[in-house]
Amino acid sequence: MKSKIRKLRKQHRISQEELALSVGVTRQTITSLECEKYTASLVLAYKIANFFNLTIEEVFDFSEVEGDN
Amino acid sequence: MKSKIRKLRKQHRISQEELALSVGVTRQTITSLECEKYTASLVLAYKIANFFNLTIEEVFDFSEVEGDN
DNA sequence: TAAAAATGTAAAGTTGACTTTGCATTAAGG
DNA sequence: CCTTAATGCAAAGTCAACTTTACATTTTTA
């Protein structure tokens, strides 16, 4: 799933490792999310959004999720 | 994880099965979420929130998630 | 430009989200 | 009442989220 994680992280000038530590996961997990290897869990999505003082919807892109239309 | 799913579902007067069909999961999954057996995935959380025309943060309770404070 | 920091990637393992089936109980309606 | 709809629960299975370790490549900086 697409997200603004990398963009936000660069704006804040922190490494994947720093973000990983801040939200309680491995650097590998951050890499995987940024490279769209898989989708974050709800709790991790919240922690990341919260770290950047944003909402989940502001960080993650749900435009390709069917549901509304 | 706590959520307003059951409350919202009753307000809209629909069964677990109807909600399940609408968001593309099994009734069992809705039951499990309502009974806090496990936490929804990010995409499912979005679909449910979207079904009720709410944001994820309005439907799910992140107050017990460490991160902000 | 050499060393250090940051990132990409990969493989194997654990756990949790979700399915499928199925049965038992409760609530609702004719 | 009797039937049907709605819900709770359980067990076994699949797959995706996340970890751990480890190495190779790119970027940064002294």
Side-chain angles (χ1 to χ4, degrees), chain B residues 25-26 28-29 38-41:
Chain B
V25 294
T26 307
Q28 183 57 234
T29 297
Y38 53 69
T39 298
S41 69

Side-chain angles (χ1 to χ4, degrees), chain A:
Chain A
M1 141 157 294
K2 289 179 187 169
S3 78
K4 297 177 186 159
I5 297 176
R6 174 163 288 161
K7 187 180 176 185
L8 291 164
R9 186 172 60 75
K10 300 229 163 179
Q11 286 176 355
H12 286 245
R13 303 230 166 78
I14 61 175
S15 67
Q16 292 180 338
E17 184 123 39
E18 289 175 291
L19 177 56
L21 281 172
S22 296
V23 299
V25 293
T26 307
R27 176 179 70 83
Q28 181 57 235
T29 296
I30 301 298
T31 298
S32 298
L33 296 182
E34 291 190 354
C35 296
E36 298 178 40
K37 298 289 181 188
Y38 54 69
T39 298
S41 69
L42 182 55
V43 170
L44 178 53
Y46 174 78
K47 287 181 181 174
I48 292 174
N50 189 71
F51 178 84
F52 293 119
N53 287 308
L54 295 172
T55 64
I56 292 175
E57 286 86 349
E58 287 172 326
V59 177
F60 295 88
D61 176 21
F62 296 99
S63 64
E64 292 179 9
V65 175
E66 84 276 347
D68 39 349
N69 316 331

